[in-house]
Amino acid sequence: MSLHNLNGLIKHTESRASQMLQQLKSQGIHHPALLAKMGDIPREKFVEPAFSHLAYSATPLPIGRNQTISQPLTVARMSQWLLEYARLGRVLEVGTGSGYQTAILAHFFNKVHTIERQEILHKLARQRLEKMGIHNVEYLFGDGQAGWPQKIDMDAVIITAMVSKVPVALTNCLKENGILIMPINQPTPQIGCWRKEGDRWKRLAIEVAHFVPLLEGKVYA
């Protein structure tokens, strides 16, 4: 590729990222550090090459193994809730996927623990983030609904796939006043943010959302 074409590609990508940020602002995303980080991360590196031209569009995109990268608004909304309500110590992410949400979490949290049940996605995400110089992440190939294998108290848990009931193993690892972000299909598909208060949960936010389902049991190589 010539230098002229490379410069043109860079400018085009910057323009698409800028348009994405403007749309996010119009949809209620206001955290300046979050917007800046989403503008910096090359989202096209987290999607299949055939869809790279759509990387900054307002739609989920395939990443392989019948999984998707969430649209920018969904990622931004979940991240903004964490920044507004959670202590930024340790966070458990269930569903590493492409690693895009993981990269954002790693920028704000001291430590990210992330679980992926598709081995190829687990390996690709780890390689991708390590090449980007992100080293405060612990990766696990396994069943996310079983939680993290070691006993670690988390400041937040974020589940990036739709569930029909709350996985007890995940809520048990939350500290008091810890934050749970989870898509749930009861009574309709939506994503919510809750704070753990003893044996009760205080709902902090809720939005309509659609996700691929969170699978359990056997993991896949």
Side-chain angles (χ1 to χ4, degrees):
M1 181 181 293
S2 69
L3 180 60
H4 176 74
N5 288 340
L6 177 60
N7 287 337
L9 179 61
I10 292 172
K11 288 182 179 179
H12 182 60
T13 300
E14 290 175 346
S15 175
R16 289 185 296 168
S18 178
Q19 291 173 7
M20 177 190 74
L21 295 181
Q22 290 302 317
Q23 185 171 25
L24 290 175
K25 290 177 184 178
S26 72
Q27 294 169 317
I29 305 303
H30 54 73
H31 195 287
L34 173 59
L35 289 165
K37 192 60 186 174
M38 291 188 69
D40 286 342
I41 294 177
R43 190 172 158 90
E44 67 276 5
K45 293 184 180 298
F46 293 85
V47 303
E48 292 183 338
F51 296 92
S52 61
H53 63 294
L54 297 173
Y56 296 90
S57 61
T59 183
L61 294 172
I63 60 172
R65 302 304 295 260
N66 295 318
Q67 301 299 301
T68 61
I69 180 174
S70 296
Q71 64 169 303
L73 177 60
T74 300
V75 175
R77 180 180 289 126
M78 293 190 295
S79 301
Q80 184 163 275
W81 285 343
L82 287 172
L83 293 172
E84 288 177 345
Y85 299 120
R87 295 177 295 252
L88 302 180
R90 291 180 183 268
V91 59
L92 173 61
E93 178 192 35
V94 179
T96 313
S98 69
Y100 181 72
Q101 177 75 76
T102 319
I104 294 174
L105 296 175
H107 180 72
F108 293 104
F109 280 83
N110 294 332
K111 191 75 171 182
V112 179
H113 302 261
T114 185
I115 307 174
E116 174 55 53
R117 69 192 310 276
Q118 304 276 5
E119 188 174 22
I120 184 62
L121 298 182
H122 157 77
K123 289 181 176 179
L124 288 174
R126 182 169 191 163
Q127 294 169 4
R128 188 176 289 130
L129 269 59
E130 288 180 348
K131 284 182 180 179
M132 295 174 66
I134 298 173
H135 300 298
N136 61 328
V137 178
E138 288 195 21
Y139 304 85
L140 176 66
F141 165 51
D143 180 5
Q145 296 212 41
W148 199 256
Q150 290 81 39
K151 173 60 177 173
I152 300 176
D153 292 331
M154 302 289 178
D155 295 292
V157 171
I158 176 172
I159 303 173
T160 61
M162 187 70 71
V163 302
S164 57
K165 60 181 180 180
V166 180
V168 176
L170 298 177
T171 58
N172 284 346
C173 74
L174 268 176
K175 294 179 180 178
E176 179 67 10
N177 293 317
I179 297 299
L180 171 66
I181 293 179
M182 178 181 68
I184 190 164
N185 60 8
Q186 300 291 337
T188 58
Q190 54 193 316
I191 184 167
C193 177
W194 294 268
R195 176 183 288 124
K196 183 178 183 180
E197 298 182 349
D199 58 355
R200 296 174 178 247
W201 294 90
K202 180 178 180 180
R203 192 177 74 185
L204 303 174
I206 198 89
E207 295 283 349
V208 174
H210 295 274
F211 285 77
V212 294
L214 180 67
L215 304 177
E216 61 181 319
K218 182 180 178 181
V219 294
Y220 295 91

